[in-house]
Amino acid sequence: NAGVTQTPKFRILKIGQSMTLQCAQDMNHNYMYWYRQDPGMGLKLIYYSVGAGITDKGEVPNGYNVSRSTTEDFPLRLELAAPSQTSVYFCASSVTVPEGTEAFFGQGTRLTVV
Amino acid sequence: AQKITQTQPGMFVQEKEAVTLDCTYDTSDPSYGLFWYKQPSSGEMIFLIYQGSYDQQNATEGRYSLNFQKARKSANLVISASQLGDSAMYFCAMREGHDMRFGAGTRLTVKP
C-alpha cells in the first residue's frame, strides 16, 4: 500500500528559485495537510485542504502556495526560495471525520536553500 | 498563540521503567481530538494513540496510555516498560475543526 507519497525526498535550491513539492495519497482521504519541521523543532502547519478545490492557511503560510484540483494530489509551491525555508516538509492526509482520525504522513522532503 | 505545549525538551528513562511525557493544550472548542506521534531518528511520523474530548475513559494502546485530564487541559503520554527502541522524539497534537497542530516535542532517551 502506497499511502502518502512525497517527491522528491531531497532537494537543494538556490535562493530565488522556485519548486513544487509533490504529495499524493491513494486512500481517498478528503483532508490533506502540509507541515514544515525545522531542525529540533515540532511541526508547523503551512496549509491544509478539506477537499478538492478547498484550501486554507495554517500557522506559517507565507512564501508558499497550494492547490487541490483532485482528491489525490496536494502540491506545495515555493516561490522565490529563501534560506529560512530550509526545512523538512511533511504531507499528511486523513479521512473526513476531523477529530477522531489519525493523520497518515509521507516520508518527508528535505529541502535546503543555499 | 501556542495551543499545544510540551514542557520537557528531553527526558531520560531506564529500560523497563515507565515514563510520562507531558502535554497541555488550549482550546475553547468542546469538540477536539488529541494525538501522540513518535518520530524515530529515521524521521517518519508514527501514530501512537488518540483521545477524543468526549471520551470518558483514558485511551490505551499496548504499552501506551494517555492520561487525559480535561479540566486541566492535559493529555500526558505514559509509556510502560520502556524499551531501547522507544528512544525517539514524541509529539503531542490536537485537532480542532479542520486543522491539526503539534507541540514542540520531547526527546526521549531510554538507557540500558
Side-chain angles (χ1 to χ4, degrees):
Chain A
N1 292 338
V4 180
T5 303
Q6 291 183 236
T7 55
K9 288 186 170 52
F10 303 93
R11 182 72 184 268
I12 298 175
L13 274 183
K14 293 184 177 180
I15 295 172
Q17 287 185 323
S18 301
M19 77 164 293
T20 299
L21 281 66
Q22 301 292 342
C23 175
Q25 52 91 9
D26 61 359
M27 298 173 282
N28 202 32
H29 287 173
N30 276 1
Y31 283 64
M32 294 189 76
Y33 310 84
W34 273 107
Y35 294 90
R36 60 175 286 173
Q37 184 180 28
D38 297 334
M41 305 292 284
L43 282 72
K44 296 289 188 184
L45 181 63
I46 305 172
Y47 272 95
Y48 65 95
S49 170
V50 301
I54 306 169
T55 62
D56 209 345
K57 296 178 180 179
E59 302 169 86
V60 290
N62 291 344
Y64 306 95
N65 280 300
V66 293
S67 60
R68 184 93 182 272
S69 57
T70 67
T71 299
E72 294 77 22
D73 299 301
F74 190 40
L76 177 71
R77 177 84 177 160
L78 279 72
E79 305 281 1
L80 299 174
S84 61
Q85 293 178 304
T86 293
S87 192
V88 178
Y89 291 82
F90 286 99
C91 179
S93 73
S94 69
V95 298
T96 301
V97 177
E99 287 83 10
T101 313
E102 67 177 280
F104 293 81
F105 281 81
Q107 292 298 304
T109 295
R110 186 174 297 274
L111 176 68
T112 303
V113 181
V114 296
Chain B
Q2 182 68 30
K3 291 201 167 187
I4 300 286
T5 303
Q6 294 180 254
T7 58
Q8 307 154 313
M11 288 282 286
F12 292 88
V13 65
Q14 206 67 36
E15 191 179 9
K16 299 181 185 178
E17 292 185 349
V19 63
T20 298
L21 305 184
D22 294 341
C23 174
T24 58
Y25 59 92
D26 182 30
T27 181
S28 57
D29 193 331
S31 179
Y32 53 91
L34 297 157
F35 302 79
W36 278 91
Y37 281 81
K38 173 183 178 182
Q39 187 179 46
S41 57
S42 53
E44 71 266 33
M45 295 292 287
I46 302 169
F47 167 74
L48 296 178
I49 197 166
Y50 161 78
Q51 180 84 42
S53 59
Y54 295 118
D55 293 344
Q56 296 295 315
Q57 295 192 342
N58 288 343
T60 60
E61 290 286 347
R63 294 186 298 110
Y64 303 108
S65 61
L66 200 152
N67 184 1
F68 182 45
Q69 298 187 43
K70 193 170 184 177
R72 294 186 177 184
K73 294 187 177 179
S74 75
N76 299 338
L77 177 70
V78 181
I79 305 175
S80 63
S82 296
Q83 302 172 356
L84 296 178
D86 294 335
S87 293
M89 284 290 290
Y90 288 82
F91 292 101
C92 180
M94 178 175 67
R95 171 176 282 146
E96 53 175 346
H98 299 302
D99 72 26
M100 183 171 179
R101 306 209 178 182
F102 286 75
T106 295
R107 181 171 298 282
L108 177 66
T109 303
V110 181
K111 296 181 176 180

